[in-house]
Amino acid sequence: MTSSESRPTDFEYVVVGSGAGGGTLAARLAEAGHRVMLLEAGGDPCATGGAEGPGADRLPDDYDVPVFHAFASENEAMSWRFFVRHYQSDEQQAKDGKYYSRFDDQPVDGVLYPRASALGGCTAHNAMIMMYPHNSDWDALAKLTGDDSWCAESMRRYFEKLEDCRHRLVYRWLAKLGWNPTRHGWKGWLRTEKAFPRAAFFDLALLRTIWASGKAAAAHVGKPLDRIRWFLESQADPNDWRLVLGNDVGIRYLPLARSHGRRVGASERVRQVRDRHPESLHLELGALATRVLFDGNRAVGVEYLKGNRLYRACPQPAAQPGETRRVYASRETILAGGAFNSPQLLMLSGIGPPDVLKARDIDPWLPLEGVGRNLQDRYEVGVVNRMAFPHWKVLRGARFEKDDPLHKEWKAGGRGVYGTNGAILAVITCSRAELPVPDLACFALLGNFRGYFPNYSHLFRKDLNYLTWAINKGHTSNRAGRVTLRSADARDPPLVNFHYFEEGDGGGGQDLDAVVKGIQFVRGLTDRLKKKGLIEKEEVPGEHVQTDGDLRTFVRNNAWGHHASGTCAIGPREGGGVLDGDFRVHGTQGLRVVDASVFPRIPGFFIVAAVYMIAEKAADVILKNARPAGASTTSPAGSQGEADGNPGFGAVQDVAGPAR
């Protein structure tokens, strides 16, 4: 390809991936009047004919019903099954009961790591928890980049911009009078709600569980006066600005991204903007990106395969290769495929560690050692208890199916247990007193949750008398995980190895000990329930696992995660960074990454809120750069690509021409 080629300018921006990063960003750019092509490898789970194959008959209920999120993550009509390694050591890896070497008569090598293949990305199947990161996460990025726009004070504005908070009603009215100490957003596009079904007030066992656990937690978390002050100010809201200013430990509820009891996320945002601005936002479903197209070092578009179920992480992937197409952008190409797929696409395009690319016969025309490195996650384990009664009263009649009694209650107005994600209580605490911010989020679930493995979701349907305390270790020290190429075929998922704990690059022992402290902490909560006769037996880790050494072994063998991040990190190139502070890929023009892979350190406890926020920030950065002097950001950019030195490419091309 040469800059002298003449192509129509149908699109100014091409965005790859429609999740919390890409969907949010594409919508903002289109609202501002720019012509955007949004590529998504999956279908639309809420559209007629939006998905095909096994599981399609459960759509859109698996998407819409909050409590069905586990089933959504395994719904074959909108899921990708990654099998990832936690360890390089085969001996250590085999000790995890969730490890598979074969599945569905196919060789695999790892532990199931569900990802979504659908409009909205992983917001189509996540647990919808909207928890704000710690301020120190943003301040660290400001220090790294030397850019104050990354500081916590500035970044909070993006949270306010996107949120429509419906769980602090008194403060919602006070905000109308100009007083907003919580710094929630009240007019954003993403509605957040608190989910606690009225039926819970009539389940005596559940109320006793919440009261006893909460009382025990309150006695062991934070200083007494701080606990009282924080609770009175926040009413257990983890996103209250006055909490994130300090060491925000204590009992919390978990705000959900839902509207009137239904899941909401990036897909609703994309559909709304597309319907309002059909001339600006074009959505291409069934589009698997295969490489970025360049003119010199300038990204000018994306090559992709058109077809359904083309990626081999799909259950029952298509045998046909798909139709090769190209789409060109007059301004910029933006990757938002997530921590696995964005680095894969960069490497397939010749950007990455030379040794990895040469091993797959790919020319490393732009050596960037940091691509695919710095992979991080949170460590999670579950303390699983079988209760001393046949089922929770609130789950009576639950089959987790369409038109069961609880589904009918939900359908009547988003009410009942099916309008929740199954979590009843959360406790934020520190594994060590000297930590500047909390590193443990422990939350109680009404269900049997032991981690991710094929058909794990069916335990929720089968076991209606279980209580799991899930322990989430945030701010992990280990950054040694890595994503590399399985092959040069874009249809093959990459190789993923997190290099857990001692196999990592330092701090693995502290991470391990922190998770052990989390288990010991929640056991202190469940001991009260055992004494009251509510718990019959702890099944995982099990009553026989008691010593620190035994608990370390249990964690080492059983921990999992599902918030992969960091593989295209912001930072200086010489230090392994892939992006500058404006999300631009080092050594390129017109190419950015905007998804969970951009974080040098994994933020907070739940990553989706942070990804939504960086997408809003990226939109501001891009729109500022795109605006000609004296022009409004809502004006179409016209031929500004030429003014920026970009030769104005920009149409969908069904036939590939010569290009790098």
Side-chain angles (χ1 to χ4, degrees):
M1 178 194 309
T2 67
S3 60
S4 62
E5 292 183 35
S6 176
R7 301 180 190 272
T9 56
D10 282 0
F11 302 106
E12 297 168 274
Y13 298 96
V14 174
V15 180
V16 179
S18 67
T24 302
L25 175 59
R28 279 285 312 279
L29 296 177
E31 276 187 328
H34 292 283
R35 300 181 300 278
V36 182
M37 166 69 94
L38 177 59
L39 301 178
E40 167 55 50
D44 184 346
C46 296
T48 303
E52 60 178 31
D57 59 321
R58 284 186 60 101
L59 298 177
D61 286 279
D62 277 358
Y63 176 90
D64 282 332
V65 182
V67 86
F68 285 6
H69 60 87
F71 301 96
S73 73
E74 292 203 276
N75 189 310
E76 295 187 8
M78 61 173 185
S79 67
W80 280 347
R81 291 175 182 152
F82 284 86
F83 284 86
V84 306
R85 298 274 300 206
H86 292 164
Y87 298 97
Q88 189 67 33
S89 165
D90 291 335
E91 179 184 5
Q92 177 58 51
Q93 184 62 81
K95 294 177 181 178
D96 190 337
K98 302 184 295 299
Y99 172 77
Y100 277 69
S101 59
R102 292 190 68 83
F103 183 69
D104 274 357
D105 294 326
Q106 297 294 323
V108 297
D109 180 25
V111 177
L112 177 66
Y113 204 106
R115 301 282 86 183
S117 173
L119 180 63
C122 287
T123 70
H125 74 197
N126 67 0
M128 296 152 287
I129 297 170
M130 280 290 292
M131 185 178 287
Y132 188 80
H134 293 108
N135 281 348
S136 57
D137 296 323
W138 302 124
D139 289 339
L141 266 167
K143 182 177 180 180
L144 175 69
T145 60
D147 180 356
D148 285 344
S149 70
W150 278 105
C151 75
E153 176 69 31
S154 295
M155 291 302 296
R156 182 69 181 199
R157 298 190 185 103
Y158 291 112
F159 186 75
E160 294 176 70
K161 181 183 182 68
L162 68 92
E163 187 190 26
D164 176 15
C165 176
R166 298 293 177 132
H167 55 92
R168 300 295 299 278
L169 295 182
V170 172
Y171 283 99
R172 186 178 182 88
W173 282 103
L174 290 173
K176 295 178 184 293
L177 302 176
W179 191 54
N180 187 20
T182 69
R183 291 198 65 178
H184 273 291
W186 313 105
K187 298 179 181 179
W189 56 267
L190 185 67
R191 182 167 170 142
T192 60
E193 299 178 344
K194 177 166 56 176
F196 193 82
R198 282 176 289 182
F201 292 105
F202 302 97
D203 188 331
L204 183 58
L206 178 57
L207 292 177
R208 292 175 67 193
T209 297
I210 294 172
W211 174 255
S213 300
K215 186 177 180 181
H220 293 92
V221 175
K223 299 177 181 178
L225 291 179
D226 286 340
R227 289 198 305 264
I228 295 170
R229 176 173 59 85
W230 290 339
F231 187 82
L232 290 175
E233 283 186 343
S234 71
Q235 288 90 59
D237 170 14
N239 295 334
D240 191 302
W241 175 249
R242 294 164 295 184
L243 281 182
V244 300
L245 287 172
N247 194 340
D248 54 330
V249 298
I251 299 168
R252 304 286 180 264
Y253 62 83
L254 296 175
L256 303 185
R258 64 169 213 172
S259 179
H260 305 288
R262 294 176 179 267
R263 173 192 295 275
V264 290
S267 62
E268 283 74 22
R269 174 72 164 143
V270 169
R271 286 193 214 98
Q272 290 165 3
V273 173
R274 182 192 58 184
D275 292 345
R276 292 199 306 266
H277 305 282
E279 74 289 349
S280 296
L281 183 56
H282 183 87
L283 173 62
E284 181 85 317
L285 300 173
L288 177 66
T290 58
R291 62 176 174 140
V292 180
L293 301 173
F294 287 90
D295 180 8
N297 71 341
R298 175 175 286 278
V300 294
V302 174
E303 183 177 272
Y304 65 97
L305 297 175
K306 177 67 175 176
N308 294 323
R309 308 176 70 85
L310 296 178
Y311 202 48
R312 295 190 178 103
C314 287
Q316 303 180 28
Q320 297 78 17
E323 177 189 359
T324 300
R325 296 185 180 182
R326 286 180 174 177
V327 58
Y328 294 94
S330 64
R331 285 189 180 276
E332 295 190 19
T333 299
I334 301 140
L335 309 186
F340 298 160
N341 293 98
S342 285
Q344 179 186 20
L345 190 53
L346 286 177
M347 288 186 280
L348 290 171
S349 307
I351 302 174
D355 60 329
V356 174
L357 274 57
K358 289 177 181 177
R360 303 304 179 197
D361 295 323
I362 297 172
D363 174 28
W365 69 270
L366 179 54
L368 270 185
E369 291 288 349
V371 174
R373 297 183 185 270
N374 194 53
L375 174 64
Q376 298 164 62
D377 208 337
R378 302 188 177 92
Y379 295 116
E380 299 180 53
V381 295
V383 177
V384 182
N385 301 277
R386 185 172 70 245
M387 308 306 287
F389 41 80
H391 59 75
W392 296 99
K393 188 175 180 180
V394 293
L395 293 178
R396 180 180 296 164
R399 300 192 303 273
F400 295 93
E401 295 176 353
K402 183 177 181 180
D403 292 331
D404 73 15
L406 274 66
H407 183 269
K408 291 178 180 177
E409 179 187 15
W410 170 84
K411 195 161 58 172
R415 298 189 298 271
V417 175
Y418 281 15
T420 78
N421 67 354
I424 59 171
L425 182 69
V427 182
I428 310 301
T429 188
C430 295
S431 63
R432 292 178 287 129
E434 66 271 21
L435 290 175
V437 293
D439 66 330
L440 293 175
C442 309
F443 48 102
L445 307 169
L446 300 187
N448 184 349
F449 183 44
R450 302 165 183 239
Y452 298 104
F453 51 88
N455 299 314
Y456 83 96
S457 59
H458 293 282
L459 293 180
F460 291 95
R461 178 182 290 124
K462 182 174 72 73
D463 299 327
L464 302 181
N465 64 332
Y466 276 72
L467 174 71
T468 298
W469 273 96
I471 297 158
N472 179 330
K473 167 66 177 89
H475 301 288
T476 47
S477 300
N478 183 16
R479 303 166 67 189
R482 195 168 180 190
V483 174
T484 56
L485 292 178
R486 186 182 304 270
S487 76
D489 186 344
R491 295 184 63 190
D492 284 335
L495 298 169
V496 180
N497 194 325
F498 285 92
H499 294 291
Y500 270 13
F501 299 118
E502 293 93 343
E503 225 181 67
D505 58 0
Q510 284 187 351
D511 288 340
L512 186 62
D513 289 343
V515 182
V516 169
K517 290 290 186 184
I519 295 173
Q520 292 168 335
F521 173 75
V522 300
R523 276 180 163 176
L525 310 185
T526 57
D527 279 347
R528 294 197 176 204
L529 303 180
K530 292 174 184 175
K531 292 174 182 177
K532 293 177 179 292
L534 291 170
I535 288 178
E536 180 179 320
K537 180 182 180 182
E538 179 189 284
E539 293 190 353
V540 178
E543 305 288 355
H544 62 289
V545 183
Q546 291 294 332
T547 69
D548 286 359
D550 287 345
L551 285 171
R552 287 191 188 96
T553 299
F554 166 78
V555 172
R556 201 179 280 116
N557 296 347
N558 292 279
W560 70 86
H562 68 294
H563 295 155
S565 57
T567 49
C568 299
I570 292 170
R573 183 173 180 176
E574 60 273 17
V578 177
L579 313 175
D580 68 13
D582 286 342
F583 307 95
R584 293 175 295 210
V585 177
H586 291 311
T588 70
Q589 298 181 58
L591 180 62
R592 303 186 203 243
V593 178
V594 182
D595 58 29
S597 68
V598 311
F599 297 108
R601 291 278 189 178
I602 186 169
F605 290 119
F606 297 92
I607 202 165
V608 69
V611 178
Y612 280 131
M613 291 168 66
I614 63 159
E616 293 284 353
K617 177 177 172 55
D620 276 358
V621 169
I622 292 169
L623 291 172
K624 180 180 178 181
N625 291 342
R627 186 171 67 248
S632 166
T633 58
T634 59
S635 301
S639 59
Q640 181 63 18
E642 287 84 353
D644 289 342
N646 186 344
F649 309 136
V652 177
Q653 300 292 319
D654 292 339
V655 180
R660 181 169 64 197

